[in-house]
Amino acid sequence: MKRVRTVPVERPSHARWAPLPSFAALIAALILFALYHARHPRNVPGEVALQLAGRWKKAYPLLCDPQLWCPPYEERLQAQYEALRLDTVFFLPAYTLALLALFGLGSCFLHRQVSRRLAVRGLGATLVMAAADLGENVFEYRALDGLASGQDGDLAKAAVFALLKWSLALPLAGAAGWIGLTLLARLVPRRARVTNAPPCGEPVRVQEAHRLADGSERWADPDVIAAPVAPHATTAVRDWAGSAAAAAPRDSALARWRTRAYQPPGREPASVGICVSGGGIRSAAVTLGALQALREGGVLGRARYLVSVSGGGYTAGAFQLALMPRPAPPGHRSTPLATARDVFAPGSPEEDHIRRHAKYLADSPREKLLAAGVILRGLGVSLGLLGLAFVVAGVLLGAFYDVVPFIDLTALRPEHEASFPDFAPHPRVLYPVLALVGFSALVSAAASLVVARRGASRPAWVRTITRGPLALAAMVVVFAVALPALFWLFAYLAWLAHRADVPTGGPGISLLGALTAAATGLGAVYSAVSKKVEKLRPSGESAPRSVSPSSIVTRIGGGPITAVVVWLVLLLLAFFGLSLLSWSAVSAPGWPLGWRLGLPLALLLTAILIDQTTFSLHPFYRQRLAGAFAVRRAVLSDGSIGALPYDYDAESTRLSTHGKRVEGFPQVIFAASAAMSLRNRTAPGRPAVPFTFSHDWVGGPDTGWVRTSTMEETAHPLIRRDLTVQSAVAVSGAAFASAMGTQGSAVQRLLALSNLRLGTWLPNPSYLAEVARHDPDWTMPRLPWVRRLRYQLQELAGRYTDTSPMVLCTDGGHFDNLGLVELLRLRCETVYVIDSSGDPPPLAVTLAEAVTLAYEDLGVRITFDQAEVLRLVPGSAAKVEPQEPMAGLNTRFSADCVVRGVIEYPEPVHFPGRRTPSRFATIVFAKAGLTPDMPYELLSYALEEKAFPRDSTFDQWFDHAQFDAYRALGHHLGAEAAKSPVKRRRFGPSGTPPVAPPRSG
């Protein structure tokens, strides 16, 4: 069996010779540090303060005996001379060599190219800091020599250079420390190899999707398939005029199709495919009725694929698990009592179980208390870790400013003073900032003149020289002005609070933290579950009360009040974080050494060892969904037939085993989305890419695919729990997440801060392909065994890369709420779409978005007859008599709930049972709406419940009446779709549909 050829990691050209000088520089730095420490005089008071003094009025107390006015105390003056000499001869070369060595090693061995670029910039910044330190020493020497003159000039110049040096010191030390710890951690032996499914030890086979798509490679049975568009593949190949360019398709739609529509082996084109939309428990009930009717109409048995999104996945997963046999003892074989022909039939034990557990999140008081406890636990862990991070940052900044007196922190500590000191930034801070900005402007202007004269673009080195000084000026402002001003401001607020007898210091911070945690929890829950009732005209405009009898009622989430609540909570969180940072920075230098060392160590351990997903709502959500939808038929102790839920803790519903296709039932593919913030990789307006789960493959076209069994064996057991059918259902329905695709807003940050999020981090197939290629190389990031604090910070920042070892997987509706695009990727000749997304009137907005996305992403054109599709609009049906008592329903009645359209693939597809390939297919779209031919009891419920069938997705607490009504609605939709005539359409001579395709934008 063929295996991928392992290749070394591509390294920069200097990586061959640079490590040896870097190690030599590191050894030399250690020797110089030792010599400096051994010879440095112990009686040098205010050495750093003298560097920053700027004028003799502040410098004299550092050189003169406190008992005398003048002249300077000779012993102290000689000590300053000796300290300057040792700093110039030993300390400056020592830290310069150490930083150059660490940044040099980082530029050679950091895995990501962006990290290596940062290390190279660190090399330049180190030289700038060393030059600033040397300039400061020169002018300080001159100032000490001219001490008798009392002139401030040389001392002021030394202060300017000291400002530059110390503004670079902390960032460079932190970056160098991060590089050193990272490289040391990479040397520790850890499991990072991609593992095959049993039998273990087989070689991992990696294929390139683009080579499979164009037919240049035909490997058998791969384990990992790299994404069609490789990460950062933005450089043209050298043989651009050769065979590769000649074979490239000229049609943009065809190019998108061949790049984006590749499917892994085993997923062949199909005659029939079904997709069911998202919408929480509302969609689950509609999907249940629709699948029952489609089975009765013979469609479900002929379908090859069932693509489910969010709430539709609740039911699709329930069907799949109900068809799985119970575990049997060794040597015995178990046969499921339910079959594809009768599972979840009307009145079956499985259906009755779901109906009784429609309030799956929490029904009884005990379950509600449990849910509240889970929320409080997650909130405590999240805010506790973030609060600890602020405290540690404050401790480090306090230690920095205790050594580098940009601000006197001791003056901000007392709370009993009658007056509070005014804030005064360093008097010389304006000089380096103006000089750096002026230098950057001068270089930019000169480059512009040269470019205008020669007609060429700016070289890259000009941009570097222009941006470097601006970045350095920003650092000076941050460390010398912004942070000291922040500490002064919060210390002043604490002083005012103390005068007003309000608790300050530790008790005050604790009280503020408790109030902030309570507000965060309440605000997050409110923003997640709040909904409002909105009355609309049939045109979709807001309806005034005067026309309320004929208006259409819809329940939607959010609203202006929710937005105000979210922003107020975020502002309170920001205020608490900054106050905690300022308080710890001001007071930390007076803490015991054990606290100052123990807190950073505690943060390091918790950030590494605590799994963020475990303390989020995802495990709770997964378990609650499993308790309601993971059931199967069984013989009870009294001999009757009933439905028993899966034993959640004893039986793992692994995708590779419990997700296998059952005879007579389609293969279930759970459509989720993976958060990605790179615009060149995502569809317009959607910071997310498709990501699917099934028994054979996990992944998508932007991340690549991994065989499900291979990913299960590779992932750590803690992460493997998220690779089950139950977890796939939960991930596909993770509507509340810190990355919500097109639904992004400030609420995402609040959900990430409060841990009220349902998504989970899973291994990135692109990363696994890279590991398999490199076998792995020691410099590569290892596959994490816990989702550390780093990943929650990524959610807070909204930064999701395509090269990270883990990807954040959330609701499939964040990319396409119908699952239509994924089903088109599977190449089906007849596509059935069950849409229960609850769009506001008048048009099917979710369908329009999916049609546009299909053309933008795949190049697939979908067209509908205009007159036919407008029959879905509420109010399009003929008025039902008597009109006056039925007025409330007549405005909501649609002429039809099913519409047929034409699918045009970019290239011919060889559908099963067809002699010749064809580009054209049929779509049958069923929209959840009211029609006059619905059953009487359904119309009666709709007349009573004005929001039916547009209850908000945020309402996940259905009673039995709501569940039955939506199930009946789904059954009606499925029955109408099943009996809808599917005929091959006729097209003109050009082979194009008679209706123009949708246009992007």
Side-chain angles (χ1 to χ4, degrees), residues 453-532:
R453 188 170 183 177
R454 295 183 178 180
S457 60
R458 288 188 180 188
W461 62 268
V462 174
R463 291 193 295 270
T464 302
I465 293 179
T466 303
R467 295 173 183 173
L470 292 178
L472 180 54
M475 288 184 187
V476 173
V477 171
V478 168
F479 287 102
V481 180
L483 286 175
L486 178 70
F487 299 155
W488 178 89
L489 174 61
F490 278 92
Y492 179 66
L493 294 177
W495 179 76
L496 292 177
H498 178 73
R499 296 194 63 183
D501 292 330
V502 176
T504 58
I509 288 291
S510 301
L511 178 60
L512 179 61
L515 294 176
T516 303
T520 302
L522 294 175
V525 172
Y526 176 80
S527 64
V529 303
S530 64
K531 58 183 182 293
K532 69 174 184 176

Side-chain angles (χ1 to χ4, degrees), residues 538 550 873-884 886-895 932:
S550 60
V873 175
S876 61
K879 305 300 180 183
V880 177
E881 297 293 342
Q883 292 191 24
E884 184 174 351
M886 298 295 290
L889 286 178
N890 279 330
T891 57
R892 298 157 61 189
F893 277 146
S894 301

